[in-house]
């Protein structure tokens, strides 16, 4: 299993990368925004540069909650040209994704809500040139205390994949019906440490078609009132890929500084 891992240690204007999910509706602010920009530079025997950026918006009014999250990741590494012997910087990782969700709580302070979810992603080194999906359905606040909560939703949707060309096959595309399920568990371990576990599955209805699964685990430690240190581990899995050139699983490991405003 191939693991594509990125360690981001120095962040400017960062933010807490939250999932586009119903749990966000419990925050007090009507409009909140946050941003992340981080990089890791390596010199010496080998040279490389990583950059991670993100933008997050949440708007809440009455029984409506609107969420938008954008993330981008890029990496360049020094590589030697076998023919000329010269060293050049080549892009070895380049991906970005967008998540947007709208929730409507059926009753004021109620537990049930309706949702509409849109996602889009591009990855230069993935079997899929791009992946997009739309889903709508029902969700519920299943469990909530002063220190923890569990939200989950499920609904039908549609997924569109652009598949890269290979040496033997041209670029193609697929449109599939899916069932999407999401869950977010949050636990406040103490006044300084928070744990989050986010899961999403986009299961293709038709057998043999690509399904997508994602898991993101994070632990956030408060440094000062508006700044935190966050460790996160994300796993992306596609069930159907060209196994001669690509792997099913990608992982991203990151340490970031988090600034909330």
């Amino acid at each position: 299993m191939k693991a594509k891992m990125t360690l981001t240690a120095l962040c400017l204007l960062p933010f807490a990368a939250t999932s586009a999910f119903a749990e966000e509706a419990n925050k007090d602010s009507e409009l909140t925004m946050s941003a992340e920009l981080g990089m890791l530079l390596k010199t010496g025997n080998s040279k490389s540069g990583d950059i991670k950026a993100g933008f997050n918006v949440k708007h809440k009014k009455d029984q409506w909650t609107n969420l938008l999250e954008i993330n981008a990741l890029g990496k360049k590494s020094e590589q030697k040209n076998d023919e000329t012997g010269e060293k050049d910087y080549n892009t070895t990782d380049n991906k970005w994704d967008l998540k947007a969700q709208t929730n409507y709580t059926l009753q004021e302070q109620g537990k049930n809500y309706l949702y509409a979810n849109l996602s889009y992603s591009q990855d230069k080194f993935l079997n899929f040139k791009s992946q997009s999906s739309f889903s709508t359905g029902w969700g519920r606040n299943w469990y909530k205390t002063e220190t923890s909560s569990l939200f989950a939703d499920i609904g039908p949707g549609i997924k569109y994949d652009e598949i890269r060309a290979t040496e033997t096959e041209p670029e193609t595309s697929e449109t599939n019906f899916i069932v999407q399920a999401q869950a977010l568990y949050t636990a406040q371990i103490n006044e300084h440490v928070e744990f989050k576990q986010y899961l999403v599955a986009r299961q293709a209805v038709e057998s043999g078609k690509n399904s997508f699964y994602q898991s993101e685990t994070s632990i956030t430690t408060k440094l000062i009132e508006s700044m935190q240190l966050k460790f996160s581990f994300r796993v992306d899995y596609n069930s159907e890929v060209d196994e001669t050139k690509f792997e099913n699983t990608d992982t991203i490991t990151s340490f970031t500084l988090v600034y909330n405003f």
Side-chain angles (χ1 to χ4, degrees), residues 39-50:
M39 60 180 60
L40 174 65
L41 300 176
K42 182 180 180 182
T43 61
N45 294 317
S46 62
K47 299 178 181 180
S48 64
D50 297 54

Side-chain angles (χ1 to χ4, degrees), residues 17 19 196-198 214-218 230 232-234:
S19 302
K196 283 188 178 182
Q197 177 63 59
Y198 171 69
Q214 184 183 98
S215 169
E216 184 171 357
T217 306
S218 67
K230 178 181 178 181
S232 66
F233 179 67
R234 172 174 155 176

Side-chain angles (χ1 to χ4, degrees), residues 173-230:
S173 63
E174 285 187 352
T175 301
N176 300 304
F177 290 104
I178 60 170
V179 175
Q180 176 171 295
Q182 296 183 107
L184 177 65
Y185 174 73
T186 303
Q188 193 73 38
I189 298 174
N190 57 46
E191 61 177 322
H192 299 292
V193 181
E194 184 181 55
F195 170 84
K196 283 188 178 182
Q197 177 63 59
Y198 171 69
L199 300 169
V200 60
R202 301 185 182 107
Q203 177 67 48
V205 175
E206 186 177 347
S207 176
K209 299 299 183 179
N210 183 59
S211 298
F212 175 79
Y213 310 94
Q214 184 183 98
S215 169
E216 184 171 357
T217 306
S218 67
I219 296 177
T220 306
T221 303
K222 182 183 294 185
L223 301 177
I224 59 177
E225 187 61 30
S226 59
M227 186 168 290
Q228 301 167 318
L229 177 66
K230 178 181 178 181

Side-chain angles (χ1 to χ4, degrees), residues 216-252:
E216 184 171 357
T217 306
S218 67
I219 296 177
T220 306
T221 303
K222 182 183 294 185
L223 301 177
I224 59 177
E225 187 61 30
S226 59
M227 186 168 290
Q228 301 167 318
L229 177 66
K230 178 181 178 181
F231 165 80
S232 66
F233 179 67
R234 172 174 155 176
V235 181
D236 293 347
Y237 180 86
N238 285 281
S239 63
E240 304 293 329
V241 300
D242 181 357
E243 296 182 355
T244 62
K245 296 180 64 177
F246 303 97
E247 298 291 337
N248 298 85
T249 305
D250 289 332
T251 67
I252 300 174

Side-chain angles (χ1 to χ4, degrees), residues 111-123:
K111 292 186 175 183
N112 298 301
Y113 60 89
L114 301 178
Y115 82 90
N117 176 277
L118 175 68
S119 71
Y120 179 83
S121 66
Q122 282 189 355
D123 192 327

